Amino acid sequence: MADDHITPTANILGTIGTVLWCMQLLPQIWKNYRTKSTEGLGAMMLIWAFSGVPMAIYAIIQKLNIPIQAQAIIFTALSLVTWGQCLLYHHKLSVWKSIVLPLLLGTVFACIEVGVVLGFGPSHDAGNEGPTMAIGIIAAVLLAGGLLPPYWEIWKRRGEVIGISYRMLSIDSLGGIFSLLSLFAQKGEFDVVAGVQFCVVVFLESGIMVLGAIWKLRCYLRGRKEKDVEGQSEVVQGVKLLLSTYISSVLCIALNPMLHMCFHDASELSILFVRVE
């Protein structure tokens, strides 16, 4: 695929998408550092780091706009940083190991990318697009797989979203949308495989945000209902106390003449009340 299919509009949209896509993990990294917790993120970030490898290979071989090519590499690096936080906060590894392991994995990823691009690039340019398509599909599957663990956590917690920053999801989804628009802005045939990669992310992340919004709405309505029930119980108790007082007063008034008829002497009546007390 020749480079003249890249338009200025595609580069602009791709740059916006790349900035958003790469910024999206920064709120999550900050949240992890502030809370010292990465609950629900370990598998997601590791799978995302793996997905960046075929994603970058596909973008480079297909000669997509430069921002999209850089996007996959930066995305992999930030995913590895977040995975390092998971090793530190969740798995309780030392700081040294939490830094070295992501660096080693990142080095392996870089070597794989360079080797595959140099190995399959000439073959792709010669017209053999099968391997490249397979790599792109693997990237889409891994991107989707990285977003499946949060759905499992949501299922286990009956709708509650744990650990994931909503700001991260929002920024990431916007980055996916702008990146998708950059593909439309390129000349020639639309790259379906790359488009599927971004659509998968936007769709699954939107689903997580919708489920999170539903959970918050349920909690809000449940809180209001409990307050209403508590208020109603207080009213009922007040009414019961008022009725019991009223009935006691009526009985005392009704029984007062009968007590005086049974006890002619006031002293006997007073003695009775003393015994009752």
Side-chain angles (χ1 to χ4, degrees), residues 134-147:
I135 292 172
I137 293 172
I138 291 172
V141 171
L142 289 175
L143 283 169
L147 287 167

Side-chain angles (χ1 to χ4, degrees), residues 32-33 36-38 80-99 101-102:
N32 297 342
Y33 172 76
K36 300 296 185 293
S37 173
T38 56
L80 287 173
V81 171
T82 313
W83 179 61
Q85 289 183 312
C86 296
L87 296 178
L88 178 62
Y89 299 135
H90 184 72
H91 297 286
K92 306 301 181 183
L93 296 185
S94 65
V95 175
W96 183 81
K97 290 181 179 179
S98 301
I99 294 174
L101 289 177

Side-chain angles (χ1 to χ4, degrees), residues 190-227:
F190 176 74
D191 196 311
V192 177
V193 175
V196 169
Q197 293 173 4
F198 296 120
C199 286
V200 164
V201 172
V202 173
F203 177 76
L204 291 177
E205 288 182 338
S206 299
I208 294 174
M209 288 188 285
V210 169
L211 291 175
I214 293 173
W215 169 259
K216 290 184 179 294
L217 179 61
R218 286 171 56 193
C219 291
Y220 172 74
L221 295 176
R222 189 183 301 119
R224 288 192 57 181
K225 184 177 179 181
E226 289 175 355
K227 289 182 179 179

Side-chain angles (χ1 to χ4, degrees), residues 5 15 72-73 75 100 111 113 160 204 213 258:
H5 70 292
T15 301
I73 298 172
F75 172 69
V100 171
C111 293
E113 289 177 12
E160 184 180 8
L204 291 177
M258 296 177 61

